[in-house]
Amino acid sequence: MGRPFRDLWSLALAAALAAGCALSETVQRTEGQLVLRAGGGPAGPSGAAIPPGPALRHIVILVPGVQPAWQVEWVDTGTSAKRPGGGGTYAGFLAGLLAVQSAPYLLAFWPAALGVVAGSTAMGALGAQRDSTTFSRMAADDRETIARTAPELRPDYLLRERTAALLAARTGRALRRLAWYPTYGPDTPGTNPLADARGEGAEGVLSVWLEAFGLAMGEEQESLGVFARARAQLVDAVGGGLRYERVLEYGPGRPLPGLPRPAAHTLEFLALDEARVFRHEMQELIGRMAGLLAADPALPVAAR
């Protein structure tokens, strides 16, 4: 093998190794790993012991006088995409190498062959850099759209109202809303929900709220799905004891009996048309979670 030929393949090997190093720098993520999280505060404890007792006929649903301030954050903004330039460099190198292999006569004119490999490699790197820059800009816009949309959903309100409507259908009695203002003074109406409930002749106070919601990694890389964590508690208005508590968590990697497998989409699709897809997916999920809570046979409310 002549020196020019060896020089050509030395350059090819160096390009391949450089591309391989670029390709190896990836960020691995697993299904269910949180990407976007919105919450009003830390999650409360669960697993409290619930004593048995008779079903309650008249309950009220607690409505906070102050809506929670949703803190939206991107937990993981990394991607599993290749480092900018790496994929295009490697693809360009392979394209140039294929051209050389498919035309053996170029080996007799090694400067031309060297130009094919080097030129294709450079063009691949340029194209990858351009694509990566475009993708990053689009991804940043999509993230901003979803982060801006999340607090506007009022998911806790949707969950509470949907649960109340379904419970009214189950019990045959509409649930009265009970306002609660925990930050006001002790003598202000609305600061003692149990006393207020007893004053209205209610036997129990139901509280339903979302602790967190957002996006999580899907089964496939670069796919995302909505997730939510909801909690419901029913407190005896007379004795003050906890009569019911259930925590629901659903999303990619967090299946929930009674609900279909979580759907996963790309970030661009979820943010499509001012995050309309994200809105729809979250509203559908909240409605289904409300249905599970309202129909739970363990919830001690008297039916029709």
Side-chain angles (χ1 to χ4, degrees), residues 11 18 46 50 55 57 60 68 131 183 203 223:
L11 177 63
S46 58
I50 302 175
R57 297 189 58 82
V60 293
D131 290 343
T183 59
E203 301 170 321
S223 65

Short mmCIF file of all heavy atoms in Angstrom, two decimals, residues 11 18 46 50 55 57 60 68 131 183 203 223:
data_model
loop_
_atom_site.label_atom_id
_atom_site.label_comp_id
_atom_site.label_asym_id
_atom_site.label_seq_id
_atom_site.Cartn_x
_atom_site.Cartn_y
_atom_site.Cartn_z
N LEU A 11 -6.45 9.63 7.57
CA LEU A 11 -7.38 10.75 7.73
C LEU A 11 -8.81 10.25 7.95
O LEU A 11 -9.54 10.78 8.79
CB LEU A 11 -7.32 11.64 6.49
CG LEU A 11 -8.30 12.83 6.47
CD1 LEU A 11 -8.00 13.78 7.62
CD2 LEU A 11 -8.23 13.55 5.14
N ALA A 18 -13.17 10.87 15.67
CA ALA A 18 -13.69 12.16 16.15
C ALA A 18 -15.20 12.15 16.16
O ALA A 18 -15.85 12.62 17.10
CB ALA A 18 -13.17 13.29 15.28
N SER A 46 -48.75 10.60 52.68
CA SER A 46 -49.87 9.72 52.34
C SER A 46 -49.77 8.45 53.17
O SER A 46 -48.77 8.19 53.83
CB SER A 46 -49.87 9.40 50.85
OG SER A 46 -48.66 8.78 50.49
N ILE A 50 -57.24 4.98 58.07
CA ILE A 50 -58.60 5.50 57.96
C ILE A 50 -59.55 4.56 58.70
O ILE A 50 -59.73 3.41 58.29
CB ILE A 50 -59.02 5.63 56.49
CG1 ILE A 50 -58.03 6.56 55.76
CG2 ILE A 50 -60.44 6.17 56.38
CD1 ILE A 50 -58.28 6.66 54.29
N ALA A 55 -71.59 5.70 56.09
CA ALA A 55 -71.52 6.62 54.96
C ALA A 55 -72.13 7.97 55.34
O ALA A 55 -73.09 8.03 56.11
CB ALA A 55 -72.24 6.02 53.76
N ARG A 57 -74.13 11.37 54.42
CA ARG A 57 -75.16 11.75 53.46
C ARG A 57 -75.00 13.18 52.96
O ARG A 57 -75.31 13.48 51.83
CB ARG A 57 -76.55 11.57 54.10
CG ARG A 57 -76.88 10.13 54.48
CD ARG A 57 -78.35 10.02 54.88
NE ARG A 57 -79.23 10.46 53.82
CZ ARG A 57 -79.59 9.70 52.77
NH1 ARG A 57 -79.13 8.46 52.67
NH2 ARG A 57 -80.41 10.18 51.84
N VAL A 60 -69.84 18.71 52.06
CA VAL A 60 -69.53 19.94 51.32
C VAL A 60 -68.13 19.78 50.75
O VAL A 60 -67.31 19.00 51.26
CB VAL A 60 -69.61 21.18 52.22
CG1 VAL A 60 -71.04 21.43 52.68
CG2 VAL A 60 -68.67 21.06 53.42
N PRO A 68 -53.87 28.55 44.35
CA PRO A 68 -52.44 28.25 44.52
C PRO A 68 -51.59 28.93 43.45
O PRO A 68 -52.04 29.12 42.32
CB PRO A 68 -52.38 26.73 44.39
CG PRO A 68 -53.58 26.37 43.57
CD PRO A 68 -54.64 27.37 43.96
N ASP A 131 -28.83 22.31 11.52
CA ASP A 131 -30.04 21.62 11.99
C ASP A 131 -30.16 21.71 13.50
O ASP A 131 -31.23 21.91 14.05
CB ASP A 131 -30.01 20.16 11.54
CG ASP A 131 -30.19 20.02 10.04
OD1 ASP A 131 -30.65 21.00 9.40
OD2 ASP A 131 -29.86 18.95 9.52
N THR A 183 -55.35 31.96 55.60
CA THR A 183 -54.39 32.98 56.01
C THR A 183 -55.01 34.10 56.82
O THR A 183 -54.30 35.00 57.28
CB THR A 183 -53.70 33.58 54.77
OG1 THR A 183 -54.69 34.16 53.91
CG2 THR A 183 -52.93 32.51 54.00
N GLU A 203 -72.11 16.75 57.28
CA GLU A 203 -71.45 15.72 58.08
C GLU A 203 -69.97 15.56 57.74
O GLU A 203 -69.22 14.98 58.52
CB GLU A 203 -72.15 14.37 57.87
CG GLU A 203 -73.62 14.39 58.24
CD GLU A 203 -74.32 13.12 57.78
OE1 GLU A 203 -74.02 12.62 56.69
OE2 GLU A 203 -75.17 12.62 58.55
N SER A 223 -39.86 11.53 23.38
CA SER A 223 -41.31 11.57 23.48
C SER A 223 -41.70 11.95 24.90
O SER A 223 -41.05 11.55 25.86
CB SER A 223 -41.93 10.22 23.10
OG SER A 223 -41.55 9.22 24.03
#
